[in-house]
Amino acid sequence: MALDVNAIVDQLKESSILELNDLVKAIEEEFGVSAAAPVAVAGAAGADAAAEKDSFTVELSEIGQEKVKVIKAVREITGLGLKDAKGLVDNAPSALKEDVAKDEAEEMKAKLEEVGAVVNLK
């Protein structure tokens, strides 16, 4: 038995929305599938991914007026020595830490902004 796809498409074109809705329900019941689930899951996952990012890169964009205080804050945050911390500050914009949890990233940003630096979370 061959399936006449063109005839089915023509019938669908002539059907009302209510008839198409009944058809979808009948197919879902007969075959144990759900037409809405993949779309809803994909839409929800996309929205959650955009809304909640789980890891961030803390980037020092500008050092501001208090370079020494920024260097001290960078040392505290990163655990680097004076020379390495100064190198990061001198080469701003630079990434201080990558793949950091949201809470930790926000804490780092707050510490750096306290001393006048401009920080971006990416």
Side-chain angles (χ1 to χ4, degrees), residues 102-114:
K102 182 179 180 179
D103 294 337
E104 187 179 354
E106 290 291 338
E107 187 178 315
M108 290 178 192
K109 181 178 179 181
K111 283 182 182 179
L112 288 164
E113 287 179 342
E114 261 180 41

Side-chain angles (χ1 to χ4, degrees), residues 84-111:
D84 294 329
K86 183 180 181 304
L88 283 175
V89 171
D90 287 341
N91 293 320
S94 57
L96 299 180
K97 276 196 171 182
E98 296 179 356
D99 297 326
V100 179
K102 182 179 180 179
D103 294 337
E104 187 179 354
E106 290 291 338
E107 187 178 315
M108 290 178 192
K109 181 178 179 181
K111 283 182 182 179

Side-chain angles (χ1 to χ4, degrees), residues 14-26:
E14 296 172 6
S15 300
S16 70
I17 297 296
L18 291 174
E19 291 172 327
L20 293 174
N21 188 37
D22 291 340
L23 174 64
V24 169
K25 286 180 182 178

Side-chain angles (χ1 to χ4, degrees), residues 58-71 73-74 77 85-96 108-122:
V58 179
E59 180 186 80
L60 177 64
S61 298
E62 297 176 25
I63 59 172
Q65 299 295 321
E66 301 288 336
K67 183 176 178 180
V68 173
K69 290 181 180 178
V70 174
I71 292 171
V74 168
I77 289 169
K86 183 180 181 304
L88 283 175
V89 171
D90 287 341
N91 293 320
S94 57
L96 299 180
M108 290 178 192
K109 181 178 179 181
K111 283 182 182 179
L112 288 164
E113 287 179 342
E114 261 180 41
V115 294
V118 178
V119 180
N120 291 325
L121 301 179
K122 294 182 177 184

